Amino acid sequence: MESNFMFILSLICILNFHFLETFANETPEESKLETYIVRVEAPDTQIFTQSEDLKSWYHSFLPTITASSSDNPRMIYSYNNVLKGFAARLSPDEVKEMEKKPGFVSAQPEKVLPLHTTHTPNFLGLNQNMGFWRDSNYGKGVIIGVIDTGIFPDHPSFNDEGMPPPPAKWKGKCEFNVTSCNNKLIGARFFTEGDNTPLDEDGHGTHTASTAAGNFVKGANLFGNANGTAVGMAPLAHLAIYKVCSPFCSESDTLAAMDTAIDDGVDVLSISLGGLTDNLYSDNIVLGAFSAMEKGIFVSCSAGNSGPYNFSVSHEAPWILTVGASTIDRMIRATAVLGNNELFDGESAFQPMDFSSAFLPLVYAGMLNSSDLYAQYCFPESLNKTNVIKGKIVVCESGGIERIAKGQAVKDAGGAAMILVNSERYGNTIASEAHVLPATQLSYADGLKVKAYINSTSNPVAKILFKGTLIGDDRAPVVAAFSSRGPNFASRGILKPDILGPGVNVLAAWPVSLENSTNTKSTFNMISGTSMSCPHLSGIAALLKSSHPDWSPAAIKSAIMTTADVVNLAKQPIEDEKFLPANIFATGSGHVNPSRANDPGLVYNIQPEDYIPYLCGLNYTNRQVGSFLQRIVNCSTESSIPDGQLNYPAFAITFTVLSNSQTYTRTVTNVGEAKSSYSVEIVRPPGVDVRVEPTTLNFSELNQKMMYRVTFNRLASSGNNTVVQGFLKWDSDRYSVRSPIAVILS
């Protein structure tokens, strides 16, 4: 799972802004230069009529000795949309000098950002030639910009059969040769230094792009499993690719890609990478997303793979759709059978037909060398020191190295097969991966039982039975263990994540064949992460944009959130990786239901200017608020609201000893039936009284707005240091518009 990617927030310093003549003849060594993202502000009297004027002003901040140099230019990117500023390679001393320059705001060393199908459309209720897919025309005419590792353009998922030409507004470029782009893949750019191609050499970007908007590909499978027709969420939407990772994803490249995508004319931005921050104004992706939102672009981002820990969610801003990951009802079954006839169901995408069904000796890698802490994780160096695993099934703990690498180590040391057991953190979240030898991955609880059996007998044996693709797990969707959780550290009054989407064992396009097949370009892989759930929602947003071209990004987001499912296929509450009812900070509003989102009844709309009092209410300085708006802001003359007062389709309340009552208003817009009446239904969080006024909303026309007031009171019976949850719903004869309520009782 992608959650194995740890957050690499290593700072890559850089900034060169020297203005002292004493340094005029001294140029820092190239090795001492690092990349900084520099924010600046111009006086209100200074107006830039052309991008070249803006770029020239940016250059005035650079050290004079380097500003005009054509050899290894210091200015890397000049940003026009995402923020007022630029990225440049500089030394720390040059940064100190630049701080004295009028208009300088800040200089941050750039961060390195980690990268956070055949069945998922059916699982989400999308069926060919009927329902929402038909009504939305499969996303026709919408442009999805994917910021990732690039793309493999020759994959059949990106053929343009049935695709119209791109819209007239499209201004992007194809930096492949002319024949690689088409009416599906209308643009491909690269922002990675020294790479000089949008070609995907990782696979991640090809996978996410095809998940969002891949065309129909029949016979998609992995080792013959999960066989079916692969298709993205919005198969008639156009794709514009922006490569920012090779192999790492730099912040300056990501900002440049967002800046370019805004100019190019995308409608949706899909970003499956990012990191943690403790405020909104220092997160450059959040800043870029604000500029995109101002121009009507919907921004969908992965929540991150740092679950199941609290306060681990990324992309906390209310103008971003933050997407967590969940399972689907498909399993690629591989069952471990022990010598005592106990059976444990696991998964593996590699299902060899010729693997013996006879019992084989079973050994736990952690018992091979008690002094080697790495042995239990099946590190190659540990297994190479022993010859006792030859012909045996080896039990390996997850963690330490990639799961596929563990299997390779077992195979190289002569092992016959592998049973991979989860750590407690991952619980019941199981990856179905393309292993290099017969294998199965088991849950944490089942792994304990396997190890107990090994300890109970002097001659432990086991076998693995491969049962192929099974569909119908009514426990789905289950929140993935790795899916990052709230609460929202940067803005406690905004519930995050917003929504769940499929992100476990997602089959989608891959640049190379994992089966070493050389006679086809129809190659697929099954991987997991919030990186996989994000493009599902990006594609669904494109469908909604096609179906409702007049809806704002906030209206689309509201429709997705208020119509989400909160129960699984068995009609029980959605569970987490421990198979316990999932916390609201794991599920957000629930699991996406695309068809219901297309007809939500009411929406909670937010205009770009509504975010000004919200940002001022976060107690940011005028300069910090101005960095979002790219103009000077004076919060003392603006209205200011607590973050819970923003017209968000969810409620996140924190009660402290000083605050036992909070009141907020919300405004809903009628997008359902012109003449309609809604009554409120409240499920109160335990220990909290919730009062809504009025209790009925009567609409007489479309796009009519009505306001209601909600008061939350902490009861004397409430607990301390706990989280409780409930919801309020507005119900009519046809619609049910649900807003979750999360309450932290401090």
Side-chain angles (χ1 to χ4, degrees):
M1 244 150 261
E2 290 194 354
S3 46
N4 285 338
F5 289 117
M6 301 303 294
F7 273 57
I8 312 169
L9 296 179
S10 48
L11 302 180
I12 309 176
C13 261
I14 194 185
L15 268 162
N16 267 316
F17 300 23
H18 246 60
F19 301 102
L20 298 181
E21 274 196 29
T22 54
F23 290 88
N25 294 319
E26 296 183 23
T27 303
E29 296 176 18
E30 185 70 20
S31 61
K32 295 181 180 179
L33 302 180
E34 301 181 60
T35 301
Y36 283 78
I37 295 172
V38 183
R39 297 187 201 173
V40 295
E41 66 180 9
D44 285 342
T45 55
Q46 191 166 359
I47 299 173
F48 300 102
T49 57
Q50 299 181 45
S51 61
E52 286 303 314
D53 295 337
L54 185 64
K55 190 173 183 179
S56 176
W57 179 58
Y58 289 161
H59 268 282
S60 70
F61 287 86
L62 292 174
T64 37
I65 194 170
T66 67
S68 59
S69 173
S70 58
D71 297 331
N72 299 319
R74 298 291 194 87
M75 179 82 74
I76 300 174
Y77 296 115
S78 169
Y79 301 124
N80 299 319
N81 301 299
V82 291
L83 53 81
K84 279 287 190 295
F86 53 92
R89 290 180 56 77
L90 303 160
S91 72
D93 287 341
E94 289 170 333
V95 175
K96 290 178 183 178
E97 287 303 320
M98 185 179 58
E99 291 172 355
K100 304 172 185 177
K101 193 81 169 175
F104 172 85
V105 173
S106 66
Q108 294 177 315
E110 74 167 350
K111 300 169 185 173
V112 177
L113 306 172
L115 289 165
H116 280 203
T117 93
T118 53
H119 183 61
T120 52
N122 288 343
F123 179 68
L124 295 173
L126 298 174
N127 298 290
Q128 206 164 352
N129 301 319
M130 60 188 297
F132 180 32
W133 248 358
R134 180 195 60 202
D135 296 344
S136 65
N137 208 0
Y138 302 91
K140 184 177 181 180
V142 178
I143 303 170
I144 302 176
V146 180
I147 296 178
D148 214 293
T149 66
I151 196 166
F152 183 65
D154 295 336
H155 196 281
S157 290
F158 310 120
N159 81 77
D160 64 353
E161 182 179 351
M163 291 291 304
K169 68 171 185 173
W170 174 244
K171 299 181 179 66
K173 295 179 180 178
C174 181
E175 293 175 346
F176 284 121
N177 61 56
V178 178
T179 58
S180 291
C181 290
N182 54 30
N183 286 334
K184 163 60 73 177
L185 179 59
I186 61 173
R189 296 190 180 216
F190 62 89
F191 297 85
T192 48
E193 185 178 353
D195 204 35
N196 299 328
T197 175
L199 186 67
D200 183 8
E201 296 168 324
D202 176 274
H204 192 276
T206 298
H207 198 280
T208 56
S210 67
T211 300
N215 215 329
F216 293 90
V217 182
K218 294 181 180 179
N221 67 84
L222 182 59
F223 294 107
N225 298 296
N227 191 49
T229 299
V231 61
M233 295 295 100
L236 288 187
H238 306 283
L239 282 168
I241 304 302
Y242 302 87
K243 179 178 179 178
V244 300
C245 310
S246 182
F248 302 112
C249 318
S250 83
E251 198 175 21
S252 61
D253 291 340
T254 303
L255 269 177
M258 296 177 76
D259 203 62
T260 302
I262 293 170
D263 279 336
D264 286 350
V266 303
D267 300 297
V268 176
L269 269 177
S270 186
I271 305 175
S272 290
L273 51 90
L276 289 172
T277 54
D278 54 8
N279 57 66
L280 299 181
Y281 60 81
S282 64
D283 187 328
N284 287 304
I285 290 180
V286 165
L287 284 174
F290 188 90
S291 296
M293 174 275 302
E294 285 185 304
K295 294 172 175 62
I297 299 170
F298 185 92
V299 182
S300 171
C301 291
S302 50
N305 297 326
S306 297
Y309 307 118
N310 292 334
F311 293 104
S312 58
V313 67
S314 300
H315 304 124
E316 306 103 308
W319 49 86
I320 292 173
L321 183 73
T322 308
V323 188
S326 56
T327 65
I328 59 175
D329 65 338
R330 180 186 63 206
M331 300 159 288
I332 316 297
R333 177 67 72 226
T335 300
V337 183
L338 305 184
N340 60 3
N341 292 320
E342 283 189 287
L343 280 72
F344 301 106
D345 288 331
E347 295 197 47
S348 173
F350 177 51
Q351 303 249 322
M353 301 296 293
D354 57 351
F355 185 60
S356 172
S357 60
F359 281 105
L360 295 173
L362 180 67
V363 62
Y364 174 50
M367 298 172 64
L368 297 176
N369 183 350
S370 59
S371 64
D372 184 353
L373 297 177
Y374 297 105
Q376 60 185 320
Y377 301 109
C378 292
F379 273 63
E381 298 82 359
S382 300
L383 298 191
N384 287 340
K385 296 175 183 177
T386 178
N387 58 3
V388 300
I389 68 173
K390 188 171 183 179
K392 297 180 181 180
I393 298 177
V394 183
V395 177
C396 302
E397 300 280 358
S398 63
I401 57 174
E402 296 294 324
R403 289 175 292 275
I404 302 295
K406 295 175 189 289
Q408 188 66 56
V410 171
K411 183 178 180 180
D412 291 345
M418 175 178 69
I419 296 176
L420 181 63
V421 297
N422 271 1
S423 64
E424 186 174 9
R425 172 189 173 189
Y426 276 86
N428 296 297
T429 299
I430 294 175
S432 186
E433 294 186 303
H435 290 287
V436 297
L437 82 172
T440 185
Q441 182 174 345
L442 303 181
S443 70
Y444 172 68
D446 288 347
L448 292 179
K449 294 173 184 176
V450 170
K451 288 180 282 187
Y453 162 72
I454 293 174
N455 288 327
S456 72
T457 177
S458 59
N459 185 32
V461 294
K463 58 185 176 181
I464 301 175
L465 303 179
F466 297 100
K467 300 179 179 179
T469 305
L470 303 177
I471 291 178
D473 178 11
D474 63 4
R475 218 163 198 149
V478 176
V479 182
F482 57 79
S483 186
S484 289
R485 273 42 169 193
N488 185 337
F489 189 86
S491 183
R492 197 65 64 85
I494 301 297
L495 180 64
K496 290 287 177 174
D498 292 307
I499 197 73
L500 294 173
V504 179
N505 300 332
V506 174
L507 188 79
W510 201 249
V512 296
S513 170
L514 299 180
E515 304 163 56
N516 296 319
S517 175
T518 58
N519 59 358
T520 180
K521 293 178 180 177
S522 185
T523 50
F524 293 85
N525 194 10
M526 192 177 287
I527 57 176
S528 303
T530 55
S531 283
M532 283 62 258
S533 52
C534 169
H536 278 93
L537 271 295
S538 305
I540 291 166
L543 296 177
L544 293 170
K545 184 80 173 176
S546 179
S547 187
H548 304 280
D550 58 332
W551 280 8
S552 68
I556 293 173
K557 181 175 179 177
S558 171
I560 290 171
M561 292 174 65
T562 60
T563 59
D565 293 329
V566 294
V567 295
N568 59 24
L569 295 180
K571 304 302 179 185
Q572 297 299 312
I574 291 174
E575 296 175 330
D576 63 15
E577 74 286 347
K578 295 180 180 178
F579 289 161
L580 298 174
N583 184 288
I584 193 169
F585 293 123
T587 63
S589 294
H591 192 272
V592 63
N593 185 321
S595 297
R596 286 192 62 212
N598 189 43
D599 190 18
L602 306 174
V603 294
Y604 294 77
N605 204 8
I606 305 174
Q607 297 300 329
E609 58 269 20
D610 297 335
Y611 290 109
I612 301 175
Y614 160 78
L615 291 167
C616 288
L618 292 175
N619 294 320
Y620 292 167
T621 66
N622 291 336
R623 176 169 276 181
Q624 288 164 349
V625 175
S627 66
F628 292 91
L629 303 169
Q630 298 181 42
R631 61 177 174 83
I632 293 175
V633 175
N634 186 351
C635 281
S636 64
T637 61
E638 302 279 356
S639 59
S640 178
I641 61 172
D643 49 1
Q645 175 59 28
L646 187 69
N647 200 42
Y648 212 64
F651 296 90
I653 311 297
T654 299
F655 284 126
T656 66
V657 292
L658 301 176
S659 168
N660 287 320
S661 180
Q662 296 179 31
T663 299
Y664 301 109
T665 61
R666 291 291 189 269
T667 300
V668 289
T669 303
N670 181 23
V671 296
E673 296 175 318
K675 292 186 177 181
S676 53
S677 179
Y678 290 81
S679 298
V680 73
E681 174 190 349
I682 304 170
V683 172
R684 296 174 175 84
V688 180
D689 182 54
V690 182
R691 302 291 176 93
V692 176
E693 297 177 351
T695 58
T696 303
L697 301 176
N698 296 308
F699 294 92
S700 58
E701 59 185 9
L702 285 176
N703 297 314
Q704 182 181 354
K705 293 177 170 51
M706 297 198 76
M707 187 181 76
Y708 67 90
R709 183 181 306 272
V710 192
T711 299
F712 302 92
N713 287 301
R714 182 176 188 170
L715 302 177
S717 60
S718 68
N720 289 314
N721 299 318
T722 187
V723 173
V724 291
Q725 60 195 63
F727 63 85
L728 68 82
K729 284 198 300 185
W730 290 101
D731 296 320
S732 73
D733 293 338
R734 179 176 174 182
Y735 299 105
S736 181
V737 186
R738 182 183 185 277
S739 291
I741 302 170
V743 181
I744 298 176
L745 300 169
S746 297

